[in-house]
């Protein structure tokens, strides 16, 4: 069976096909631009997350150092308080011994 196609129909079909190819290319280009944009956003977000993690790690380190210093200060104060209490106890014992020795003479 022989199919005949006139020139006008052929031109119309060819033009239609070229338009579809062009539209597909435009859509593909638009999609590629969106993919690139999303990639850039994702990369930027990843950098921000990485920087925030580093900042948090640094803050945790500083917090540990600060807690350590606070514990050292507390330990020194407790040590001084114990030493002062021992000194007061010794002085009280000496005072008591002096008072009892003067009454014995």
């Amino acid at each position: 069976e022989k199919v005949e196609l006139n020139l006008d129909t052929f031109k119309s079909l060819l033009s239609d096909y070229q338009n579809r190819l062009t539209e597909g290319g435009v859509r593909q280009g638009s999609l590629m631009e969106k993919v690139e944009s999303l990639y850039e956003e994702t990369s930027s977000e990843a950098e921000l997350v990485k920087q925030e993690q580093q900042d948090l790690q640094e803050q945790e380190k500083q917090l540990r150092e600060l807690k350590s210093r606070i514990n050292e200060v507390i330990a020194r104060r407790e040590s001084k308080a114990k030493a002062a209490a021992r000194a007061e106890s010794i002085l009280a014992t000496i005072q008591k011994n002096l008072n009892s020795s003067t009454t014995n003479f």
Side-chain angles (χ1 to χ4, degrees), residues 10-55:
F10 179 75
K11 285 181 181 179
S12 173
L13 290 173
L14 181 60
S15 176
D16 209 23
Y17 178 73
Q18 287 173 333
N19 287 338
R20 287 183 187 175
L21 284 177
T22 302
E23 287 176 17
V26 168
R27 280 193 301 248
Q28 182 181 8
S30 175
L31 287 173
M32 290 304 292
E33 287 175 7
K34 289 178 182 176
V35 167
E36 287 175 13
S37 175
L38 286 172
Y39 176 77
E40 289 173 4
E41 286 179 35
T42 303
S43 295
S44 296
E45 288 295 321
E47 282 298 316
L48 287 174
V49 167
K50 183 179 176 181
Q51 184 60 46
E52 287 175 0
Q53 286 175 336
Q54 290 174 345
D55 291 347

Side-chain angles (χ1 to χ4, degrees), residues 50-90:
K50 183 179 176 181
Q51 184 60 46
E52 287 175 0
Q53 286 175 336
Q54 290 174 345
D55 291 347
L56 283 174
Q57 289 172 344
E58 183 62 29
Q59 289 173 354
E60 287 172 352
K61 179 182 174 187
Q62 291 173 351
L63 182 61
R64 283 191 303 272
E65 290 173 359
L66 184 59
K67 284 181 178 179
S68 176
R69 288 185 200 146
I70 288 171
N71 289 334
E72 288 173 5
V73 168
I74 289 171
R76 275 196 303 267
R77 286 183 181 172
E78 288 174 351
S79 177
K80 286 179 182 179
K82 286 179 184 178
R86 279 194 302 268
E88 287 178 11
S89 174
I90 292 170

Side-chain angles (χ1 to χ4, degrees), residues 94-105:
I94 292 172
Q95 187 71 35
K96 180 180 172 187
N97 288 338
L98 285 174
N99 287 341
S100 65
S101 66
T102 54
T103 55
N104 290 338
F105 289 110

